[in-house]
Amino acid sequence: MSVDGWHTLLVLGGIRSGKSEFAESLVADAPTVRYVATAPAGDPEDTEWATRLAAHRARRPGSWSTEETAADPGRLVEVIAAAGPNETLLVDDLGGWVTVLLDPAHQPADDTATIAELAGAVRSSTARLVLVSPEVGLSLVPTTPLGRAFTDALGATNRAVADACDAVALVVAGQTAWLKPATPAPAHAVPPAATSPEAEPGRATTPRTDRGHAPAPWAGAPEATPAQTAAPETAPSRTTSGRADFGAGDVTLPEVLTPAAAPVPAPAAHDSSSTGDWAAPTMALPMIATGLVIQPGMELPMPDDYTGPQAVDRLATLDIPGAGLGVLEQVVGFAAATQGTSTPRPWDSVRVLLIQGDHEGGASAGATPGESARRARQARAGRGALARLAAENRAGLQIVEAPVSAPMEDGPALPADEVEAALRYGWRLAEQAADAGVQLLVLAACGAGAEAAAAAVLAATAGAEPPTVLGRVITEQGEIDDTAWMVRCAAVRDALHRTRRSAREAKDVLAELGGGDIALATGVLLGATARKVPVLLDGPVGTAAAMVSRDLAGQARHWCLLPDHGGRPGVRLAADVLGLTPLVDLRLDLGEGATALAALPLLRSALTLAATLPVHPSLGGPGDSDTDDVVGDRTSPGIGEPTGDDDWTGGGAEPDFTEPEPAGPGPTTIGSDEPVFPGRRAD
């Protein structure tokens, strides 16, 4: 992660716009830079082109190294994928790469797959990476087939790489405009703890990019109410339209139901990854009279770039009798990066946020009226799959009621002011959890029509076709309801047609299509990112919120982990766009959030092994010592200790051991032949 808040950046610009000079200035402070040149050599008689290339070479410092990739378009993907976290790469430019990609010498080839491979390498890159690309989409459509093929391929490349990068800048006439995120404000000193944004009018509307520990945006947020105190739960007030009003006065956050848990030993004094450090405040965001301002381009923290790879590399040195943890290595790397230590600890304090919010209209076709409210009451009473799994994992459970969303095919699903209030309310929920020492949030949801709303969000943000991301409708009797599925598809189609000329900004998508539950979930993800609390996603609402949150703060997706896609096509697509790799394929269908809780013990086990196993003796770890148990040693109990009156001390023949009785239910032999299993009669 660079001090500017990004580690992958795409610089766009027209011809002679100054894009290359701007990109070079961004990496000028790096001790070494690998310059990746993609353009082919060109015609030797084209002196003007040779002059351009010479000007580029003349600007490069002597400490930079140059690598040519014009011979093979796949070489650029290999260079980016192989770059380490301590390297800085400058790729100039993607227009030359597309030229090589379309060269007849490299055809036939799947250009779309190659572009996707490039975007995937950029998304997973651990190096500081700057890519330069010409923006040709503002010109007229070329009149030649070759020209159209080039502009189409370059446009697709720019879109894919921009989506994969943390930041995107557009250079026009030497002037830079930040597209993703907005222009970062210059760093400045962190104010003292007693200073609040309200006390400094001059700073009230200025985004803050402090990397230190600043006061929480709202110091007076109410603490979570333990279930043992049985404090009365105050739900959000209801407006005349039937929606929850999150913005009216001081809204009491929902009660947190916490099952009894065994005491957790305190971390060692030297352990810098203590619970308090995980959730420490990281920044102060702009405030106005009505509260926190959530806006595009917010500069939120990123996980540690170095501790994640270090933790994964450390696994290869552990004394493990086998090939290792397999795909669970991703869990270790994720936990290490989010905790800021190469020896991450299992998450002890976990909270489940169950968001209950219905969608009216065709989105809820086939849903049983009142079913989501019944599920929420069931969870509040400690019954049902989600509550039982939360108790099994010693996790707190907080049920949150979201505003009811209007039919999206007829008009906006939620008014703009309620979208703002829902975002702030979700942020406050994450703040409350962080203040209570929660180390991991699990985002759960239940609501009629939620999957259709999530499909509409995916279609608007990722360009997906609604039928491909909308799962089948299953009735309470376990039957497939194709008629309800078609009604849901029609509702999403009509909503997208209605909003075809509307802006596709994050808040616009939430207002027109997403509704209250997805808006609230988006606020939770942003608040958790600001407080460095990782989040387990599980289902369409959580992944749709992650898609929206990337346009408000691109860092949010890096704090999310997806245990399983659950067989849902929309979740699979969102995971691919967000760069999240599902860890398991359980195909459980227990409601959004339950699969994450079912997989949580496995994730904790992987972290326990990574934190407690010693280094292998061949690599300098502890080995057998003289004080270890020895067969026949009567001074200490251990392997080989005789039992009863046996005087054997390891010398002579080893005594015979009698097979013990079965420890539990199993086949019982009757007579000499036939085994009888428990529950069956011998006759």
Side-chain angles (χ1 to χ4, degrees):
M1 189 68 185
S2 87
V3 296
D4 302 310
W6 54 264
H7 81 276
T8 54
L9 168 67
L10 174 64
V11 179
L12 298 170
I15 300 173
R16 298 295 191 184
S17 62
K19 60 183 182 297
S20 294
E21 292 91 333
F22 173 72
E24 292 164 5
S25 68
L26 294 175
V27 297
D29 60 337
T32 58
V33 175
R34 183 151 42 132
Y35 185 94
V36 183
T38 62
D43 187 351
E45 298 181 1
D46 189 348
T47 57
E48 191 274 340
W49 179 250
T51 303
R52 285 174 178 256
L53 295 182
H56 277 262
R57 296 190 186 99
R59 288 199 306 264
R60 303 172 201 165
S63 60
W64 290 16
S65 61
T66 302
E67 182 158 353
E68 304 279 351
T69 63
D72 180 12
R75 177 58 183 159
L76 178 60
V77 177
E78 297 172 357
V79 170
I80 295 175
N86 297 323
E87 295 186 70
T88 299
L89 268 64
L90 174 57
V91 179
D92 194 357
D93 67 17
L94 295 183
W97 180 78
V98 170
T99 301
V100 176
L101 180 65
L102 299 180
D103 191 317
H106 301 293
Q107 298 296 327
D110 189 348
D111 299 339
T112 302
T114 306
I115 293 172
E117 291 175 358
L118 175 63
V122 172
R123 181 176 289 111
S124 60
S125 174
T126 59
R128 191 184 187 195
L129 177 63
V130 178
L131 303 103
V132 181
S133 185
E135 177 52 71
V136 298
L138 303 178
S139 62
L140 298 176
V141 177
T143 59
T144 63
L146 184 59
R148 289 193 294 270
F150 176 81
T151 54
D152 290 346
L154 183 57
T157 301
N158 287 345
R159 288 186 61 179
V161 174
D163 181 71
C165 285
D166 296 325
V168 179
L170 175 65
V171 181
V172 180
Q175 308 302 309
T176 304
W178 289 89
L179 307 181
K180 172 190 174 183
T183 307
H188 47 74
V190 180
T195 303
S196 65
E198 292 83 350
E200 297 182 280
R203 298 184 184 179
T205 59
T206 302
R208 303 289 298 276
T209 58
D210 302 329
R211 290 294 179 187
H213 297 298
W218 39 72
E223 296 293 332
T225 304
Q228 290 80 357
T229 62
E233 178 177 341
T234 304
S237 60
R238 305 291 295 183
T239 65
T240 56
S241 63
R243 296 187 177 91
D245 184 7
F246 290 135
D250 285 335
V251 180
T252 303
L253 299 183
E255 175 187 10
V256 178
L257 308 174
T258 308
V264 179
H270 64 276
D271 190 352
S272 61
S273 60
S274 62
T275 301
D277 290 339
W278 290 3
T282 58
M283 61 182 296
L285 291 173
M287 302 283 289
I288 59 176
T290 56
L292 172 73
V293 176
I294 297 178
Q295 59 189 9
M298 292 187 297
E299 184 66 16
L300 300 183
M302 280 280 289
D304 194 301
D305 277 348
Y306 299 101
T307 55
Q310 288 173 355
V312 174
D313 293 342
R314 180 178 171 274
L315 293 176
T317 68
L318 300 182
D319 191 4
I320 298 177
L325 297 179
V327 296
L328 294 182
E329 289 184 353
Q330 300 178 41
V331 182
V332 177
F334 174 81
T338 54
Q339 295 179 24
T341 174
S342 59
T343 55
R345 296 186 290 114
W347 302 293
D348 294 326
S349 179
V350 180
R351 179 174 296 181
V352 182
L353 292 179
L354 174 60
I355 301 174
Q356 185 255 321
D358 291 338
H359 296 255
E360 298 175 341
S364 60
T368 303
E371 177 65 11
S372 65
R374 186 184 74 84
R375 292 293 181 187
R377 291 193 302 270
Q378 184 184 60
R380 188 175 288 111
R383 300 189 304 270
L386 188 70
R388 297 296 173 85
L389 287 171
E392 184 71 19
N393 285 280
R394 296 176 298 159
L397 177 59
Q398 192 171 20
I399 297 93
V400 185
E401 182 183 1
V404 177
S405 303
M408 60 181 169
E409 62 268 33
D410 298 335
L414 201 65
D417 59 335
E418 292 196 28
V419 170
E420 294 282 356
L423 287 170
R424 290 196 296 267
Y425 190 76
W427 187 298
R428 288 184 60 195
L429 290 170
E431 280 278 343
Q432 180 198 45
D435 291 339
V438 171
Q439 301 167 355
L440 179 70
L441 284 174
V442 178
L443 200 54
C446 65
E451 187 168 1
V457 170
L458 282 175
T461 56
E465 291 293 332
T468 64
V469 293
L470 190 57
R472 308 295 292 270
V473 179
I474 309 296
T475 66
E476 292 182 343
Q477 293 75 31
E479 300 176 348
I480 296 177
D481 190 343
D482 285 334
T483 301
W485 180 82
M486 288 188 287
V487 173
R488 294 186 184 186
C489 286
V492 176
R493 177 203 61 200
D494 293 345
L496 293 173
H497 180 76
R498 179 183 61 81
T499 61
R500 65 190 182 278
R501 293 187 177 90
S502 301
R504 285 292 188 252
E505 299 294 332
K507 293 181 182 180
D508 299 315
V509 171
L510 291 175
E512 296 290 347
L513 307 171
D517 51 352
I518 298 179
L520 200 151
T522 302
V524 170
L525 292 181
L526 295 172
T529 300
R531 295 298 298 272
K532 299 183 179 180
V533 178
V535 181
L536 289 189
L537 301 180
D538 180 16
V541 171
T543 50
M547 291 289 293
V548 176
S549 66
R550 65 178 183 156
D551 294 330
L552 294 169
Q555 302 84 1
R557 65 183 177 89
H558 296 281
W559 294 89
C560 297
L561 187 66
L562 182 66
D564 190 4
H565 57 65
R568 299 178 182 271
V571 176
R572 279 199 294 260
L573 173 65
D576 183 61
V577 174
L578 295 168
L580 302 176
T581 303
L583 301 172
V584 295
D585 189 9
L586 300 178
R587 302 296 179 100
L588 296 180
D589 192 9
L590 302 174
E592 186 161 347
T595 299
L597 288 175
L600 184 56
L602 181 63
L603 310 187
R604 281 171 161 166
S605 297
L607 294 178
T608 299
L609 290 176
T612 59
L613 284 178
V615 175
H616 195 276
S618 64
L619 299 176
D624 295 336
S625 64
D626 295 335
T627 59
D628 291 341
D629 295 330
V630 180
V631 175
D633 185 1
R634 308 272 305 179
T635 61
S636 62
I639 299 175
E641 182 181 33
T643 58
D645 297 331
D646 189 20
D647 293 332
W648 178 72
T649 59
E654 181 178 351
D656 294 332
F657 290 95
T658 304
E659 181 179 356
E661 293 294 330
T668 303
T669 301
I670 303 297
S672 58
D673 298 317
E674 182 183 359
V676 177
F677 289 83
R680 293 180 54 191
R681 297 179 56 186
D683 55 355

